[in-house]
Amino acid sequence: MVKQTHADEFTAYVASRVGWLRKVAYLLCADWHRADDLVQESITKLYVQWSRVSRVENLDGYARKVLVNTFLAEQRTAWWRRTDRTEVPADGAMPLTGDLEAALDLQQALTALPPRQRATVVLRYYCDLSVDQTADALGCSPGNVKSQSARGLEALRRSLAPERLAFSEGAA
Amino acid sequence: MVNDEMPQLAAQLTELAENSEPGRMLDVERARRVGRTRMRRRRLAGLAGAAAVLVTVGLLGAGFRDRHDGTPVPAVSPTVGPSSLTMNVRFGWVPDWAHSGSGYTVEKGQGKASVQRDGVLVEPALSVWLTELGSEPGAEYELRDAPKVNGRLAYWLDPETITSEPGWRPYHLRWQVPGGRWVQLRTMYLPRTTESEQELLRVAAGVTVESVNVPLPVHFADALGPVRAFDATLIRSNSPGEIRWRMGLGVEVSGQRLSVVATRNTTPQPPPEFRSSNAECRTVGDVDLCVSWDLAMEKEMTPDEWALVRKVLAGVEVVPDFK
């Protein structure tokens, strides 16, 4: 019953991490429906590789890497560019309970970033990854992560209202 | 960690992700089901490749007859000679939009038949080729079930990372033919719709795996001595335009590799603004003929090398009224 064991492991892992993966996906794409599609595709890829990945040391890191690369690969496809979005998505009517205006501003500013810059900012400042960890997830050099971070933060600083700029002081 | 350096940004990202989340459960069972399908496809692709090798080994001496329905499968490999090439696959029915031109290419032992959508000097809209025995799709492809083609296993190959024009996405259809080999159809400039897929399946059903002799529009004078051709492209236009046909031929003469390019224009053309500095050209009727040193990088040529280029150029004979 090895197969069943693997399937159970997979189901248990996904159940425990799906909320986290959705949030990362949402920050990457700014659309909950698309975030669900991204996660669905990512967990499918994870399942295909499950017999191997379930033994890796950092399974969360692997899952995050699959998610980010699925997102970036989708950006390169014509299918997605055809439906490119530059505005806050329709489900911007979501029940924001905190600082609504600040959240919407940040969402718009994030959406305006090029995909790799957006992924770098999300991995560095939401997932709390180091430069080296981010480089590993994105499959690029640490120097590239630093430059993408700097450009991303600079763009966010330009996009956001002055009172939201506090985070950009002393940027990495 | 970095969040200690950028606490406000980290907090805002967290708020954005956590406070706006609508409830929806992911379909774990669907992930498992689709994942199992992909794994099965990959295994099948591998098994089919292995089976193809076994079938070939067993049938090489028996004339390549399919063990299931007896349909002969050509044992020919694509080849190119100085005045013709031999292909092993050809198109049958193609959509109206793919009648702009058609061509054949033999390169590094692989032959491709192609049809054009817009003119003849752009990437083919459809290309088809017979894969190598035992070949498998690269890991960069996602495999997806396709309806059978002529009753045989088929699947779509979706490149995972693609750069293309908005609205268009190249993709492939791969299906098995008697003997266990696979034929692959690649499309460009085609929107990914159910209608397009149906059209491609119809194209695939009409593809014939057989030996096809394709004459080339040039001959070489005996005075040149032995001429060995190693790759060739011939594209014919079916639409009004400046070019009727164009041929590129790689040849080896006196131990040196040269390129011969012949273009038949529908109207007289001015000399091209740019041409290789290693080329010599002449016009034969309405055919422009150029011979150049076959090097990826241009280089200073010696007088002897120039002499060979001019000798070959003088020795190329254009087939009259080649269409």
Side-chain angles (χ1 to χ4, degrees):
Chain A
M1 298 300 286
V2 175
K3 274 187 179 176
Q4 188 57 43
T5 302
H6 279 179
D8 289 346
E9 281 175 7
F10 173 78
T11 303
Y13 175 78
V14 169
S16 68
R17 294 296 190 275
V18 70
W20 163 70
L21 286 169
R22 289 184 77 214
K23 288 167 187 167
V24 176
Y26 175 71
L27 289 177
L28 291 171
C29 68
D31 180 326
W32 281 111
H33 297 299
R34 195 173 154 228
D36 284 340
D37 289 344
L38 272 177
V39 175
Q40 186 74 47
E41 176 61 19
S42 299
I43 64 175
T44 302
K45 288 178 178 173
L46 208 57
Y47 181 78
V48 171
Q49 301 292 330
W50 189 251
S51 61
R52 273 176 280 171
V53 302
S54 61
R55 294 191 295 275
V56 303
E57 189 179 2
N58 180 3
L59 186 49
D60 287 349
Y62 185 89
R64 183 171 50 219
K65 191 172 182 174
V66 170
L67 175 69
V68 171
N69 283 289
T70 301
F71 163 73
L72 291 175
E74 190 184 70
Q75 298 301 307
R76 291 189 286 265
T77 66
W79 172 81
W80 178 248
R81 272 184 279 144
R82 191 177 53 205
T83 56
D84 197 13
R85 63 187 63 244
T86 54
E87 298 175 355
V88 177
D91 60 2
M94 62 280 194
L96 282 168
T97 57
D99 183 348
L100 174 65
E101 194 180 353
L104 286 177
D105 283 351
L106 179 59
Q107 186 184 53
Q108 283 182 307
L110 265 181
T111 308
L113 295 182
R116 284 190 83 82
Q117 272 181 29
R118 202 182 318 157
T120 305
V121 167
V122 170
L123 290 174
R124 290 272 286 140
Y125 303 110
Y126 177 71
C127 298
D128 201 18
L129 300 189
S130 68
V131 169
D132 287 344
Q133 289 170 325
T134 305
D136 178 60
L138 292 172
C140 65
S141 69
N144 189 255
V145 169
K146 287 179 186 173
S147 63
Q148 295 277 1
S149 290
R151 287 182 200 144
L153 291 176
E154 176 59 28
L156 289 180
R157 186 165 51 219
R158 283 197 306 271
S159 300
L160 293 173
E163 61 271 23
R164 319 265 184 230
L165 293 184
F167 71 81
S168 66
E169 301 302 324
Chain B
M1 296 299 282
V2 290
N3 284 351
D4 298 332
E5 302 165 25
M6 310 283 285
Q8 187 173 346
L9 176 58
Q12 287 182 354
L13 287 169
T14 302
E15 183 172 359
L16 179 60
E18 298 191 355
N19 288 349
S20 62
E21 182 182 5
R24 180 187 159 185
M25 286 300 293
L26 269 287
D27 190 342
V28 179
E29 179 49 39
R30 182 175 151 226
R32 288 168 51 178
R33 191 173 61 250
V34 174
R36 281 195 297 270
T37 302
R38 289 184 188 175
M39 287 189 284
R40 191 168 63 247
R41 279 280 157 261
R42 286 174 183 172
R43 276 198 301 270
L44 276 174
L47 286 172
V53 172
L54 291 173
V55 168
T56 303
V57 169
L59 296 179
L60 268 176
F64 253 89
R65 287 203 168 265
D66 175 48
R67 59 183 173 176
H68 301 299
D69 59 16
T71 306
V73 174
V76 296
S77 295
T79 58
V80 55
S83 57
S84 68
L85 60 86
T86 304
M87 274 293 298
N88 52 6
V89 64
R90 75 158 97 198
F91 280 103
W93 178 88
V94 294
D96 289 342
W97 52 260
H99 280 287
S100 172
S102 60
Y104 291 102
T105 295
V106 177
E107 191 175 20
K108 295 178 181 173
Q110 185 175 61
K112 286 185 182 178
S114 59
V115 289
Q116 306 286 139
R117 180 189 179 100
D118 300 305
V120 295
L121 298 181
V122 296
E123 192 165 2
L126 298 173
S127 302
V128 68
W129 63 94
L130 187 63
T131 65
E132 296 291 326
L133 281 166
S135 77
E136 294 179 37
E140 69 273 24
Y141 292 112
E142 288 289 336
L143 276 57
R144 190 165 53 87
D145 282 328
K148 288 185 172 181
V149 173
N150 295 329
R152 291 182 181 271
L153 192 63
Y155 52 91
W156 302 104
L157 297 176
D158 295 316
E160 286 192 342
T161 56
I162 279 298
T163 301
S164 64
E165 291 300 310
W168 309 97
R169 183 181 179 189
Y171 54 104
H172 301 229
L173 175 64
R174 189 174 161 108
W175 68 97
Q176 207 165 26
V177 291
R181 294 171 78 168
W182 298 82
V183 173
Q184 195 156 322
L185 176 68
R186 177 182 188 268
T187 175
M188 284 286 290
Y189 317 121
L190 198 59
R192 192 64 184 264
T193 62
T194 304
E195 292 73 21
S196 295
E197 290 189 354
Q198 291 301 318
E199 215 166 32
L200 291 175
L201 287 164
R202 188 176 169 195
V203 171
V207 168
T208 310
V209 178
E210 61 184 1
S211 176
V212 183
N213 184 259
V214 182
L216 295 176
V218 296
H219 290 303
F220 290 87
D222 293 341
L224 290 175
V227 175
R228 186 182 75 83
F230 53 87
D231 59 38
T233 296
L234 176 66
I235 301 172
R236 290 184 176 93
S237 171
N238 299 321
S239 57
E242 295 178 349
I243 290 176
R244 185 68 52 85
W245 52 256
R246 185 180 176 90
M247 179 211 74
L249 184 64
V251 294
E252 193 172 295
V253 182
S254 301
Q256 303 294 342
R257 290 195 160 198
L258 303 167
S259 290
V260 179
V261 176
T263 308
R264 184 178 179 202
N265 300 303
T266 52
T267 55
Q269 298 296 309
E273 292 180 5
F274 172 82
R275 80 176 197 213
S276 166
S277 63
N278 293 337
E280 283 283 329
C281 300
R282 68 187 173 102
T283 301
V284 181
D286 53 4
V287 176
D288 289 335
L289 204 54
C290 289
V291 176
S292 61
W293 207 250
D294 190 49
L295 288 173
M297 301 289 290
E298 304 210 345
K299 64 159 214 157
E300 280 297 315
M301 291 170 61
T302 66
D304 286 350
E305 290 168 344
W306 273 119
L308 181 62
V309 167
R310 293 188 186 106
K311 180 181 172 185
V312 172
L313 180 64
V316 179
E317 299 165 354
V318 178
V319 175
D321 299 325
F322 183 87
K323 296 193 186 327

